[in-house]
Amino acid sequence: MVLETDSARELGPRGGGVLLRTVRVRARELALLFSAAVALTLVAFRATGVDLQRAALRAYAPAGTALSTDPLVSLAVELQTAMLVGVFATGAVLLWHTREEVRPHGARTGRLYLLSAGLFVVGVALGAALVVPALLELLKFGVLRSGFVPAYRPYWLAEVALFLPVAVGVALSLPTLMVALVGDGVVSSTVLHRDWGFALLGVLAYASVYSPPDSVTFVVYGGVLLGGYVAGLVVLTFG
């Protein structure tokens, strides 16, 4: 069993735990940070001329496939990416302030957070190199059906190529992150087991916003993220 601190930390509205208290106290700061991260990311895309949609098509579309890009679609993908950057930046700052509040267990949990970040990067790389090509091959040969004939549509392909690897990275890093959060006393193992519905809500939100509008990719996104959360619960229970 993973070592926990004495104080119980709540995730949901019932709780008065340190995480929700930090959110309430620093709500304006976190909102400004999120807005600034989104704006700066969009400005960076405009300044550099990076086209994520075109990059995804070049990386994964079959050789010789001609797929036109749409400026509005490219803008939508950039906005989705900027929002994701904002969420990660805000979450990192929130975690920093919360750890200061609970006086964490020093180097031990610090190393766990670094390991979690490293696993996230590894997961993104594995998702881009293995998971996305595997899904595209399954769709190509008709093994998976989702209410439409599998096709390399630009927007569909861009969303899968960019955001499925992120889901894999999050799933791979979740067990270590959950152990670190419990070790710091940010949240208790009991709460993570009991309030799994909040995690499910987050999974559904990510899959709804970042997966293409078809049932197969929605299930794949959700299954990957839920798998990471369940793995974290297993580690907390038997680790």
Side-chain angles (χ1 to χ4, degrees), residues 11 15-16 18 69 107-108 141 161 203:
L11 287 179
V18 63
T69 58
R108 177 179 176 272
F141 291 105
V203 167

Side-chain angles (χ1 to χ4, degrees), residues 93-186:
V93 171
L94 174 61
L95 179 58
W96 176 272
H97 288 306
T98 304
R99 293 186 75 225
E100 289 183 335
E101 181 83 11
V102 297
R103 295 187 299 275
H105 293 74
R108 177 179 176 272
T109 54
R111 287 193 296 267
L112 287 175
Y113 288 117
L114 289 176
L115 176 59
S116 179
L119 289 173
F120 172 77
V121 174
V122 171
V124 170
L126 290 175
L130 298 178
V131 179
V132 172
L135 178 61
L136 295 179
E137 284 301 309
L138 288 173
L139 289 171
K140 177 181 177 182
F141 291 105
V143 177
L144 301 179
R145 296 293 179 181
S146 56
F148 67 94
V149 177
Y152 293 96
R153 296 179 298 174
Y155 191 36
W156 184 96
L157 184 55
E159 284 199 313
V160 170
L162 294 170
F163 305 125
L164 180 54
V166 174
V168 176
V170 170
L172 192 60
S173 66
L174 263 180
T176 306
L177 178 61
M178 290 165 67
V179 170
L181 292 174
V182 169
D184 271 346
V186 174

Side-chain angles (χ1 to χ4, degrees), residues 11-80:
L11 287 179
R14 294 172 295 172
V18 63
L19 188 62
L20 288 179
R21 184 166 66 250
T22 305
V23 170
R24 287 194 294 265
V25 170
R26 301 184 177 273
R28 180 175 297 181
E29 174 188 338
L30 295 173
L32 288 174
L33 174 62
F34 175 81
S35 301
V38 171
L40 289 174
T41 303
L42 290 174
V43 168
F45 283 133
R46 296 296 93 189
T48 60
V50 173
D51 189 335
L52 295 176
Q53 182 187 193
R54 191 178 298 277
L57 296 179
R58 284 200 300 264
Y60 293 107
T65 301
L67 292 172
S68 59
T69 58
D70 185 337
L72 290 179
V73 170
S74 294
L75 180 60
V77 172
E78 290 170 5
L79 181 59
Q80 286 176 296

